[in-house]
Structure formats: structure tokens, C-alpha cells
């Protein structure tokens, strides 16, 4: 299962991403930081560093306060705590496209969409377990899809 | 495994060469291509990203369009940066739905993915115009709109667009029936922001718990 990935240093990612399996599920995308339209009111997230144009992510267990909001456990997801600045590789389940991201916010609101699945090539991933910025999400898929099935490594 | 890597590498080269060639005006593109089907529906429906995301080589830009010069979009980034986005015959355009470059207007916001060109432009493989994906709470329901809040209780009006807006309930299949949307529900709204009135045309609302 473990594979090695090559990750370049990009804005918002300062550390090397690893290849140890961490989790799997759905990813959605969100906007943060300076932005146009409704995104202009979203702010820089729980870590204070979030930017839509950087390869960043929101993690549902970035802190206890975060976990109390997202409650992935209510969907049966025992997601480990990974705080602000943690880095992880997010890989599209089917295409294998991978992006290295830095945790910069809290999210997604897993408990609000328990049981939701996203599939490709007949294989599905269930529950929202990570949110990506537009820059990160578009590196592995199309924004208009809204969600993707992914594997997560650290 | 090595075959996969080899294929991926060859595909990446082909795609990059194709997009670069298209950006330079050297290609008239008809039918299926090395990027996959180039008609917009096929491009956005494909499970594979239409551009092989060799992370170190793909480019990303966001911002507001300040001018359109032929097939080049001048974009002011949200952090004071400037971008020139080159549209090509191979560029997929989304604005509420898969569409064409003619629908892009000055003042629109966008996210673009593509390839850095030697002249400093980005040859776009895909542009998503005014796209938003907001986690909201439903505050009110009218015949042609949803009143929503997102983020720190910011109000946003989501417009229901005939023959376009669809709903998914708890991850179920998409339907045009919005009658099961209830006040107080969480909802993920994928849509297109309207700069003129600051509302959002809803492409898809995913209703949660």
C-alpha cells in the first residue's frame, strides 16, 4: 500500500510529504484568505494562514475545539489529530494524481454529511474527511465536481 | 509498475506538448485529443483530471478578470499578483455549467489550471468562472431562491436556476426536486457567483443533516 511520492515545495507547503497511509474518504474544496465573491468573507481559517491559492487543507481533527465542531466520530471515523502545519499527501483514488498540502484550517463538517459517498471506476469512498483549497483540489481534479474520492498519506 | 510510470510520463509529455502547441496557435483541435475529449461535458465529467497534474509543472491562478484581449484573460489576483491566462481550443470553461469562452466577462472571478508558458502566460487547461463551493445553513426558502448563511453568519442568496439547479439529499442521486430542502439544514452549495448582484446561481445543493 505504501508508495513513495515526489512532492515539490510550493507555497504553503514547507515540509516533505510522506507515503504512510493515514486515511481515506471524500475530499471537498473550500475557499479562504483574500478572495473574490462570497469567499471574501471567509477569513484565513482556524490556523490564520489559509489561502485559496496555496496547496492547503482543512482537517477535521486539527484541535479539540475543531473536533467538537466537525465530529467525524459520529460518522464512524476515528480520525487522528493533526494540527496546523501538518503536511499530507492527498491522492485521487482513481487517477493517482497527488498533491502535497499543509493543514491550515478546521474542516470539513463531517457530521453534517454522514454516509455520503463519492465513487470512481466503481469504487467509493465514504464521509468527508478533508477539505482542500482550490489550488490543491484542482491539482488532482476538477473544481466543478465538488468532491473526489481520495487516499491520504503522511 | 514501471509500465504505469512510463505511460504516465509519456502522457504528461504529450499533454504538455499538446497544450503548449495549442497556446501557440499551432493546432486546430477536433474530436478526442491527448487531453481527453475536449468538448466541455466530456472534460468535466471525466473521472481523470484533464491535465495530468504533474504537480511541479501545473500552474494555478485565481482572481478577477480585468480585461479580455482576444483569447487572453488579464487577471488581478487576490494578493496583488497579476496573471495572463491564455485560452486555447483545448481549454475547458465552466460557468455554472460547461460552456464556452464567450460567456466569460470582465469582472468575473476565476480559478485557472494550466501550464506556465515561456512568455509568462498560463496556457489554461481549465478555467472555472465565478465558481463557489460554500458550506451553508439554510435560513429561508422561496420559490426561486434559498436564503443561506455561510462562514461567520454571512448572508448569501442562492438562486434556483430552472433546468440547471439540482439537489442531492444526504448524498443521494441528483434530482431537480428541491421540495425536501428545510430551514436549518446544512447544505453544500456549488454554484456560480454573480458579480452584478452578489448572489449565487446554484448548480448543485447537497443537503446534509
Amino acid at each position: 500500500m505504501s508508495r513513495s511520492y515526489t512532492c515539490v515545495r510550493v507555497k504553503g507547503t514547507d515540509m516533505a510529504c510522506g507515503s504512510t497511509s493515514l486515511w481515506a474518504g471524500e475530499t471537498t474544496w473550500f475557499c479562504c484568505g483574500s478572495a473574490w465573491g462570497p469567499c471574501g468573507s471567509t477569513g484565513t481559517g482556524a490556523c490564520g494562514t489559509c489561502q485559496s491559492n496555496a496547496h492547503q487543507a482543512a482537517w477535521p481533527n486539527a484541535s479539540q475545539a475543531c473536533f467538537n465542531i466537525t465530529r467525524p466520530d459520529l460518522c464512524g471515523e476515528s480520525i487522528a489529530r493533526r494540527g496546523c502545519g501538518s503536511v499530507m499527501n492527498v491522492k485521487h483514488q482513481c487517477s493517482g494524481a497527488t498533491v502535497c498540502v499543509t493543514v491550515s484550517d478546521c474542516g470539513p463538517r463531517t457530521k453534517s454529511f454522514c454516509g455520503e459517498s463519492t465513487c470512481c471506476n466503481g469504487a467509493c469512498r465514504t464521509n468527508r474527511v478533508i477539505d482542500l483549497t482550490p489550488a490543491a483540489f484542482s491539482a488532482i481534479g476538477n473544481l466543478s465536481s465538488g468532491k473526489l474520492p481520495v487516499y491520504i498519506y503522511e | 509498475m514501471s509500465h504505469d510510470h512510463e505511460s504516465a510520463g509519456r502522457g504528461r509529455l504529450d499533454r504538455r506538448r499538446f497544450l503548449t502547441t495549442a497556446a501557440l496557435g499551432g493546432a486546430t483541435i477536433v474530436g478526442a485529443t491527448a487531453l481527453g475529449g475536449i468538448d466541455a461535458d466530456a472534460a468535466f465529467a471525466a473521472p481523470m483530471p484533464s491535465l495530468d497534474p504533474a504537480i511541479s509543472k501545473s500552474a494555478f491562478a485565481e482572481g478577477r478578470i480585468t480585461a479580455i484581449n482576444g483569447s487572453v484573460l488579464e487577471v488581478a489576483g487576490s494578493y496583488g499578483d497579476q496573471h495572463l491566462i491564455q485560452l486555447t481550443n483545448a481549454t475547458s470553461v465552466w460557468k455554472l455549467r460547461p460552456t464556452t469562452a464567450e460567456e466569460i466577462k470582465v469582472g468575473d472571478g476565476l480559478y485557472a489550471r494550466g501550464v506556465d508558458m515561456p512568455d509568462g502566460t498560463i496556457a489554461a487547461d481549465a478555467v472555472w468562472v465565478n465558481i463557489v463551493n460554500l458550506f451553508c445553513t439554510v435560513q429561508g426558502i422561496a420559490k426561486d431562491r434559498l436564503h443561506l448563511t455561510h462562514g461567520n453568519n454571512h448572508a448569501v442568496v442562492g438562486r434556483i436556476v430552472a433546468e440547471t439547479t439540482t439537489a442531492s439529499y444526504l448524498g443521494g442521486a441528483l434530482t431537480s426536486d428541491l421540495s425536501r430542502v428545510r430551514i436549518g439544514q446544512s447544505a453544500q452549495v456549488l454554484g456560480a457567483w454573480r458579480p452584478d448582484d452578489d448572489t449565487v446561481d446554484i448548480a448543485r445543493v447537497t443537503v446534509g443533516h
Side-chain angles (χ1 to χ4, degrees), chain A residues 18-96:
Chain A
S19 58
T20 302
S21 181
L22 175 62
W23 214 256
E26 288 184 319
T27 182
T28 51
W29 65 269
F30 72 113
C31 52
C32 58
S34 297
W36 43 265
C39 293
S41 62
T42 53
T44 52
C47 304
T49 57
C50 195
Q51 297 182 13
S52 288
N53 64 353
H55 285 183
Q56 296 180 339
W59 187 247
N61 193 3
S63 67
Q64 186 60 49
C66 170
F67 181 84
N68 292 343
I69 295 170
T70 61
R71 295 300 303 272
D73 58 311
L74 297 180
C75 305
E77 303 282 353
S78 308
I79 295 177
R81 180 156 302 163
R82 295 293 182 269
C84 297
S86 300
V87 294
M88 45 189 77
N89 261 324
V90 181
K91 183 177 80 166
H92 189 296
Q93 171 182 276
C94 292
S95 72

Side-chain angles (χ1 to χ4, degrees), chain A residues 100-117:
Chain A
C100 178
V101 297
T102 303
V103 173
S104 303
D105 201 353
C106 169
R109 198 80 62 98
T110 311
K111 69 176 182 182
S112 295
F113 299 93
C114 273
E116 183 185 63
S117 290

